[in-house]
Amino acid sequence: MLQTLQKIIVGITLVSGASAPLMGGCPLSITNAQINPKPLDYLGTGQIGFKLVEEGGRGVPATDLSGKPMCQFNVEMRYVTLENKNISNVTGSVLRYFDVTFNATQNRVYFKQKKDIPANLVASADIAIDVTQSSTSAEKNNGFVLSMDGSSLKKSQFTYTKISAEYDIVLSVTPTTLLGSGSKKVALDLQISEYNSVSNSGDVIIDIVKDNKLTFTLDASNHEWELQETPIKYKLRYIGNNGKYPPHTRKHIKLSGVFKIPANQKGNFVLSASIEEGNGEVNFKNNQDSDTMTYNGIRI
């Protein structure tokens, strides 16, 4: 009887000493929780980062006695979201030990343990983010709260957004229908607007892709703009106001053009213009526009 009891005690000692406890909360700690850059750019991108640390020196089994993952936690994002809502933008060594999912409705990234965690592990996690809303230095709302399931453990980091210039471009060509072969006069109107009441920190340059069927000259009224040419583009650089495009301003640029309709050909000609990056803004989704001309040089 004594020998049997000794075997049972030894067995319990070996099991309990081999790993972290099989019941209770997740025995991991969270360090280096951070969000970068600080402050974030409004409608820009950034990164959430943190580390998981096994400090007990005993490791963490994948599941508890009931078969549930021993460790589960989530990152609730506020005023930011997972970049492109794509789970591939969650990276780091933590992925070796956790399955990751994203709930767009809740705006949370979930981590569920999938394999044993070795003793003294330090695993990193990085989440690429898009900034969705703006907040101020007085009320910092851009950030995240990391919560460990079954535990009071929470980590959070918040910052604010700096407002950058926000440009928009609209292009229109007249006329849009050209008939007969030979050279035809056209007019191009570019409308450029700044919405955030912020001035540019770099040059404001508009690119127009070149085509041998169309040539442009800058109208004399556009003294605030400089027309440059490269082998593949026309470039319009803002030179008024010492190069500082006025905040919350809309301007029109007029260009006179000549379109050469190829003889006995017809088709559609798409002209596009875009605002170059590097002027200080971070939202490039509305920085391009186009218009289409239909031409017919076939003799009737």
Side-chain angles (χ1 to χ4, degrees):
M1 179 67 180
L2 179 60
Q3 187 176 9
T4 301
L5 182 60
Q6 287 175 336
K7 288 181 179 179
I8 292 174
I9 294 173
V10 170
I12 293 173
T13 303
L14 288 175
V15 171
S16 62
S19 63
L22 294 178
M23 299 296 290
C26 174
L28 296 178
S29 64
I30 303 167
T31 64
N32 297 93
Q34 56 186 310
I35 185 168
N36 287 301
K38 291 184 178 180
L40 291 162
D41 286 315
Y42 175 56
L43 298 181
T45 59
Q47 186 167 285
I48 289 170
F50 57 89
K51 291 182 179 179
L52 294 179
V53 181
E54 198 292 307
E55 295 179 329
R58 300 163 63 186
V60 183
T63 61
D64 60 18
L65 290 176
S66 67
K68 295 181 179 179
M70 178 63 74
C71 294
Q72 298 184 81
F73 62 95
N74 71 85
V75 178
E76 177 192 355
M77 292 170 287
R78 300 175 184 176
Y79 284 42
V80 301
T81 192
L82 179 64
E83 185 174 2
N84 296 324
K85 300 188 184 301
N86 189 331
I87 201 65
S88 66
N89 288 312
V90 180
T91 58
S93 55
V94 70
L95 298 183
R96 302 174 192 168
Y97 307 99
F98 289 83
D99 285 323
V100 183
T101 57
F102 175 62
N103 186 310
T105 303
Q106 298 177 351
N107 199 27
R108 297 189 185 196
V109 177
Y110 285 88
F111 294 79
K112 181 187 295 186
Q113 189 176 346
K114 64 181 178 181
K115 63 183 294 187
D116 292 355
I117 292 173
N120 304 313
L121 174 76
V122 178
S124 63
D126 296 292
I127 303 173
I129 55 172
D130 289 321
V131 181
T132 57
Q133 297 183 63
S134 178
S135 67
T136 67
S137 57
E139 296 183 8
K140 301 177 177 67
N141 294 318
N142 296 79
F144 67 96
V145 178
L146 190 158
S147 303
M148 192 74 73
D149 287 10
S151 169
S152 60
L153 180 61
K154 287 189 176 183
K155 293 286 184 178
S156 62
Q157 282 286 309
F158 288 89
T159 184
Y160 60 98
T161 54
K162 59 181 180 180
I163 304 297
S164 302
E166 170 60 15
Y167 296 105
D168 175 70
I169 188 170
V170 178
L171 179 155
S172 59
V173 182
T174 54
T176 55
T177 301
L178 302 172
L179 300 175
S181 61
S183 297
K184 306 293 180 180
K185 291 183 178 180
V186 297
L188 173 65
D189 180 88
L190 285 166
Q191 174 186 286
I192 179 170
S193 306
E194 197 290 311
Y195 295 118
N196 280 352
S197 297
V198 178
S199 186
N200 52 301
S201 58
D203 285 339
V204 176
I205 297 175
I206 299 173
D207 291 336
I208 304 172
V209 178
K210 272 187 173 181
D211 188 283
N212 57 15
K213 291 190 287 294
L214 183 61
T215 57
F216 283 117
T217 57
L218 186 65
D219 289 6
S221 60
N222 297 301
H223 59 274
E224 293 185 310
W225 297 87
E226 177 184 72
L227 180 62
Q228 305 170 338
E229 291 188 47
T230 73
I232 60 173
K233 292 179 181 179
Y234 292 100
K235 287 178 172 285
L236 291 161
R237 184 170 69 92
Y238 182 71
I239 58 174
N241 195 32
N242 295 316
K244 291 296 184 182
Y245 193 89
H248 203 68
T249 298
R250 175 171 293 164
K251 290 180 178 291
H252 287 266
I253 308 170
K254 304 289 186 179
L255 294 167
S256 297
V258 175
F259 188 85
K260 296 179 181 179
I261 301 178
N264 299 316
Q265 292 185 29
K266 65 178 181 178
N268 293 323
F269 181 86
V270 179
L271 182 66
S272 63
S274 59
I275 304 172
E276 282 190 3
E277 298 181 17
N279 52 49
E281 72 169 331
V282 296
N283 177 33
F284 309 116
K285 296 177 182 178
N286 57 349
N287 280 20
Q288 183 170 338
D289 196 27
S290 62
D291 201 2
T292 301
M293 292 184 291
T294 300
Y295 62 90
N296 189 340
I298 298 176
R299 292 183 178 181
I300 298 175

